[in-house]
Amino acid sequence: MELIYPSYYKEFSCIAGACPDSCCHEWEVQVDAVSAERYRAMEGALGDALRAHLYDEDGETYMRNKDNRCPMWRDDGLCRIQAEQGHDALCHVCQQFPRLRQDYGEFVELGLEMSCPEAARMMLTADRWELITEQAPGGEEGDYDAELMALLRETRPYALALLAEEAVPVHVRLARLL
């Protein structure tokens, strides 16, 4: 199986308390089942706080916002769960955001969400607009039109090259891309 990702992907690191915005703002996070079970069993003040804000809806568990923010988001911009229990204690969504993973069976594309200020900064200021391809174990036949996917994969380097032409105004590059 191929892993395909932009050249800046592995350089991403959350800037946490230095972030001018936050993924902890106005977002009711879906908590995976393993983390929800761990949070509900957690002892002490952190466990009490987590239980007070977890709720279930349509078979999924969520963290209820308090005043339009995650109740685990401290005033210093850091996450209480991470500060007290470490990165591995975060639920899957919080560990992964703003990383994206699109699995097509025989290949996987990785990327970053533009909604994260640090990810957006990296994308917009990247010196290189190239895709890296690595081989990884696994993979299976994809459930998509193979001809259309081949066309997309063939034209993507051209599209990235158009976007990288710094001497051309961005609105012209985007028009050319269309």
Side-chain angles (χ1 to χ4, degrees):
M1 167 178 60
E2 290 181 327
L3 284 179
I4 303 165
Y5 55 89
S7 51
Y8 53 79
Y9 177 80
K10 290 187 176 182
E11 297 169 16
F12 174 79
S13 180
C14 177
I15 59 173
C19 187
D21 194 5
S22 176
C23 47
C24 304
H25 183 68
E26 295 183 352
W27 182 21
E28 289 196 358
V29 171
Q30 183 176 347
V31 179
D32 59 277
V34 171
S35 297
E37 184 178 330
R38 187 175 65 248
Y39 292 168
R40 286 185 168 120
M42 194 176 285
E43 296 182 11
L46 180 57
D48 293 342
L50 286 164
R51 282 186 293 282
H53 295 288
L54 291 176
Y55 72 95
D56 294 316
E57 185 175 288
D58 298 327
E60 302 292 342
T61 302
Y62 296 89
M63 181 78 67
R64 186 180 316 280
N65 279 345
K66 181 179 178 185
D67 300 325
N68 281 326
R69 55 186 281 147
C70 176
M72 298 299 115
W73 188 26
R74 302 184 325 189
D75 289 338
D76 63 2
L78 301 177
C79 173
R80 180 177 176 188
I81 298 169
Q82 187 169 0
E84 294 181 25
Q85 299 284 317
H87 180 77
D88 291 342
L90 294 173
C91 67
H92 182 75
V93 167
C94 293
Q95 282 186 20
Q96 293 303 307
F97 186 82
R99 295 166 192 87
L100 299 170
R101 178 184 177 94
Q102 186 63 47
D103 192 336
Y104 293 101
E106 57 195 46
F107 69 98
V108 172
E109 291 185 332
L110 306 174
L112 299 174
E113 291 270 7
M114 284 288 286
S115 59
C116 168
E118 180 62 7
R121 184 200 62 75
M122 290 178 70
M123 285 182 251
L124 296 172
T125 63
D127 292 335
R128 313 179 311 260
W129 281 82
E130 64 182 289
L131 294 174
I132 308 296
T133 301
E134 290 181 6
Q135 293 301 314
E140 55 195 49
E141 187 172 323
D143 184 24
Y144 49 80
D145 183 316
E147 276 186 55
L148 287 175
M149 185 58 75
L151 179 63
L152 171 68
R153 293 183 72 185
E154 197 175 299
T155 58
R156 186 174 283 150
Y158 176 71
L160 291 174
L162 278 175
L163 293 172
E165 294 178 17
E166 291 182 17
V168 178
V170 71
H171 71 279
V172 173
R173 287 183 266 169
L174 292 172
R176 288 179 182 170
L177 183 61
L178 287 174

